[in-house]
Amino acid sequence: MSIVFLSPTGQSGGAEAALIELLAGLRESHPSWSLDVIVASDGPLVGGVRALGVPVQVLPFPPSVARLGDWSVGTGLLARAKFLVRCAGIAWPAARYLRRLRSLLRDRGPVVIHTNGFKMHVLGAWAKPRDSKVLWHLHDYIARRALTATLLRYSAHRCAAAIANSRSVADDMRTVCGSALPVHPVWNAVDLNRFSPRGPQLDLDAMSGLPSATDVIRVGLIATFARWKGHPTFLRALAMLPPSLRVRGYVIGGPVYETAGSQVTLEELRQEAISLGLANRVGFTGMVPDSSAAMRALDVVVHASTDPEPFGLVIAEAMACGKPVITSGAGGARELAEPDVNALVHTPGDAADLARAIDALASNAKLRARIGAAGRATAERSFTRRRLASELTPIYEGLAGPPRGGPSVRH
Ligand code: GLC
């Protein structure tokens, strides 16, 4: 089996972390398979792939293609007209990129081209050699993203199958491309050795410039700065807690994507914290080198996405660290959580409901221990590399078809 993976970014968002785990799982389960990665910008993903011994090549997007996204479409006639003009400007660099990608793929001649993000779903579909099969790995919802949905619908006939990171994302995909394209829901895996209850811890206070303290409950939101990750909800919830609770909040993470307009800025969040009177009770750590060490330094991990979360890798990772997690109750995130057993669940965007859940955990050490232990058990059952590889194997082999000249059996 030979597979080329296409990633539209080398940055370290959830889809890229999921890709690294996937590659690690395939390396362990199928050491003889040939795996190759092509990525459209340099970044931590490249080092992560190399560390697994998987060859990786950076084929950078032209800047105009890197910046293009639904977030930049805007509403109103003028915004749309401007957007169309920009699209016209992108056509030529995109066509040139497609030619280069096509020639790289022709050289490698993979059985499967596994694409890990929207731009690569489209480019991979149009650049594929005749005998290769394209497998889209969907990490996000599409139906409400006008540009993406249109492009994928238009490219779907060149794709053989799709994987979705949750049932919820699979259902969304079916509303966009119909039932002709097989869509397999497959949960992500997590590195259970790295994301484990034991290991180094970051000094979150030092990282965020807060005075060190020993008698506080540390509650953190770990996320990119995508607008829908719910940072304002988290800050408002912290402001609603009784001061006697001695909770300190941490915003852990930063902006990672290049798509214009899709992220909040650190300055906006700092201003919001100040206006809520939280200046001394919230720390901003920026990006952290190892999110598992950040999680271990927390007493409670919060997931606050205001839109349905496609999967929620942070939730799975926090569970693997044995930390009690509060998730927002929509989308794939809702599939991972068994409310009051391995997580507490709040209504997306409802700061008062989130404050209630933080209060419940911050004031009850036994509850924190019980939910945290159940989370680790969930992770050991559901987020292993072995489980991921065993679900992917029949999908790849199904695309490869029967061995040449042989009967129609799976190998
Ligand atoms: C995307 C999704 C996130 C998911 C990750 C890995 O970043 O938004 O929910 O955890 O991909 O699949």
Side-chain angles (χ1 to χ4, degrees), residues 29 152 266-267 337 341-342 349:
S29 303
L152 289 191
L266 182 58
E267 209 31 54
V341 177
N342 60 10

Side-chain angles (χ1 to χ4, degrees), residues 13-19 116 137-141 164-166 169 186-188 224 228-229 257 303 305 308-315 332-333 336:
E16 295 71 47
L19 176 60
N116 205 54
H137 194 162
L138 306 164
H139 291 277
D140 284 292
Y141 296 102
N165 56 358
S166 63
V169 168
V186 178
W187 277 0
N188 295 311
T224 68
W228 53 279
K229 290 290 181 179
Y257 295 111
H303 165 267
S305 295
E309 176 74 56
F311 177 81
L313 205 53
V314 163
I315 300 166
L336 308 185

Side-chain angles (χ1 to χ4, degrees), residues 24 71-72 92 97 117-118 150 177 182 194 214 246 275 300 371 379 389:
W71 287 103
S72 49
W92 173 241
Y97 189 86
F118 295 130
T150 307
C177 289
R194 184 153 86 87
T214 48
R246 298 194 60 75
S275 67
V300 176
I371 303 270

Side-chain angles (χ1 to χ4, degrees), residues 84-107:
L84 285 179
V85 170
R86 271 187 58 203
C87 279
I90 284 167
W92 173 241
R96 238 182 18 230
Y97 189 86
L98 195 62
R99 266 204 309 279
R100 295 180 63 197
L101 183 61
R102 190 175 285 138
S103 116
L104 281 184
L105 290 171
R106 227 183 259 135
D107 288 348

